[in-house]
Amino acid sequence: MDPHVLPILKCPRCGASGEFDGASAGTSAVGCGRCDLVLDAGRGFYDLLDVSARGEPAATTAEQRFMESALVARAYERVWRPTFVRMFAGRGAGAAVGGFAGEMFIHKNALSLDDRDGPWLDLSCGPGLFTRAIAATAPGALVVGLDISRAMLEVAVGRVRGYTNVLLVRADAHQLPFVDGCFDGINNSGAIHAYDDAEQVFREIWRTLRPGGIYVGSTFAEAPTLTGRLAARIAGIRRYDPGELRAQLSRLGFSEYEELRLGGAFVFRARKP
Ligand SMILES: C[S@@+](CC[C@H](N)C(=O)[O-])C[C@H]1O[C@@H](n2cnc3c(N)ncnc32)[C@H](O)[C@@H]1O
């Protein structure tokens, strides 16, 4: 593991901040200096979801069960994502920005990727679509891709090969395994509708951002068609009222909230003062 990463890790077992040490556990593994947790990246990602105490997390929605499937993870970028964006946000959403290139353009500018040093967190990265794009745009910065789904990370491992500035970790967004104030920006595309307790995730985002750090996310506001609304309901996808999201983030202390509507979806940006 890149030695620059060790100081930003927080032990999910004992809560010790920045105590991981490569030397104590050999070269391919890192160990917590305070407790007995050892992390091994043999599979290409560090598993920071400490399941010894609470077991494997149960997927609480139909959507999340799909996210745990190896088949969906492999087909996610080419088939699943474009199909569901069209279904839940309308044809206009993708067309308005010209597909992923346009989406990335919006996120790149919202995160101010060209003007900031990182490190960056791609929270709920899936197979790493944004992780790779951020890593290519900011080659000198550390980019951490985090997801709870083992299947998604296994696909991401193959796709980030060649990006020397990327680290993949498995963890729960509700309990981020990072020290306070370590990220310059957090990208969080297409995921807040999937969390059991989005407010707890926002608190973790706040905690791990530096003062001045930027939070950029995207989610669904409304499904434009009856089929889309029905599919969202079956999948357990919560839709967000942008006004409520703005109020929620500002209650937590975020400022400078802005949003861009793209059909039934929207991209938002807020700053930790
Ligand atoms: C719809 S995908 C979005 C993936 C990617 N950000 C994108 O825009 O293509 C939602 C992702 O959120 C992840 N996710 C759901 N609950 C999570 C949690 N509690 N912690 C971390 N990731 C989670 C899923 O495993 C899935 O990969």
Side-chain angles (χ1 to χ4, degrees), residues 63-64 67-68 76-77 80-81 100 103 122-130 146-150 152 171-174 176 187-196 201 218 220:
E63 191 206 21
Q64 192 53 28
M67 297 294 133
E68 308 281 351
Y76 177 81
E77 288 178 11
W80 187 274
R81 190 178 199 275
F100 181 70
E103 226 186 299
D122 186 21
L123 181 58
S124 298
C125 62
L129 188 59
F130 277 98
L146 177 150
D147 206 280
I148 200 166
S149 158
R150 208 187 286 275
M152 286 291 188
D172 187 344
H174 297 83
L176 293 176
N187 188 65
N188 187 205
S189 159
I192 63 172
H193 50 263
Y195 300 142
D196 291 336
V201 177
S218 63
F220 299 111

Side-chain angles (χ1 to χ4, degrees), residues 9 13 16 28-29 40 95 97 105 110 129-130 135 154 156 205 207 213 237 250:
L9 293 180
R13 186 168 295 172
S28 74
D40 197 337
V97 293
F105 181 77
L129 188 59
F130 277 98
E154 276 163 1
I205 289 170
R207 181 182 69 72
I237 287 178
S250 96

Side-chain angles (χ1 to χ4, degrees), residues 93-94 96-113 130 187 214 216-218 258-262 266-269:
V97 293
F100 181 70
E103 226 186 299
M104 180 56 200
F105 181 77
I106 294 169
H107 283 245
K108 168 182 169 322
N109 285 293
L111 286 163
S112 303
L113 277 184
F130 277 98
N187 188 65
I214 294 175
V216 173
S218 63
E258 289 177 87
E259 83 204 14
L260 177 67
R261 292 295 292 261
L262 299 167
F266 64 103
V267 180
F268 60 90
R269 171 194 204 262

Side-chain angles (χ1 to χ4, degrees), residues 4 14 34 72 132 145 148 185 206-207 229 234 246 250:
H4 294 105
C14 71
R34 187 93 64 81
V72 171
R132 301 191 302 275
I148 200 166
W206 169 272
R207 181 182 69 72
R229 284 197 288 278
I234 292 168
R246 171 197 286 261
S250 96

Side-chain angles (χ1 to χ4, degrees), residues 52-216:
S52 62
R54 59 177 197 163
E56 281 288 329
T60 54
T61 61
E63 191 206 21
Q64 192 53 28
R65 277 191 288 281
F66 282 119
M67 297 294 133
E68 308 281 351
S69 141
L71 194 67
V72 171
R74 275 201 301 275
Y76 177 81
E77 288 178 11
R78 285 238 188 121
V79 183
W80 187 274
R81 190 178 199 275
T83 305
F84 281 86
V85 167
R86 209 173 305 128
M87 191 187 294
F88 295 145
R91 209 172 272 281
V97 293
F100 181 70
E103 226 186 299
M104 180 56 200
F105 181 77
I106 294 169
H107 283 245
K108 168 182 169 322
N109 285 293
L111 286 163
S112 303
L113 277 184
D114 289 337
D115 306 325
R116 304 173 73 97
D117 297 333
W120 305 99
L121 172 63
D122 186 21
L123 181 58
S124 298
C125 62
L129 188 59
F130 277 98
T131 316
R132 301 191 302 275
I134 294 171
T137 309
L142 169 69
V143 183
V144 180
L146 177 150
D147 206 280
I148 200 166
S149 158
R150 208 187 286 275
M152 286 291 188
L153 288 169
E154 276 163 1
V155 174
V157 167
R159 296 190 184 165
V160 304
R161 220 162 262 144
Y163 293 84
T164 52
N165 54 335
V166 170
L167 175 84
L168 294 174
V169 305
R170 183 173 183 234
D172 187 344
H174 297 83
Q175 193 191 350
L176 293 176
F178 306 111
V179 303
D180 298 355
C182 62
F183 291 112
D184 220 0
I186 297 182
N187 188 65
N188 187 205
S189 159
I192 63 172
H193 50 263
Y195 300 142
D196 291 336
D197 180 355
E199 182 145 331
Q200 170 58 21
V201 177
F202 298 148
R203 275 191 223 105
E204 284 292 89
I205 289 170
W206 169 272
R207 181 182 69 72
T208 54
L209 274 177
R210 287 183 181 152
I214 294 175
Y215 172 38
V216 173

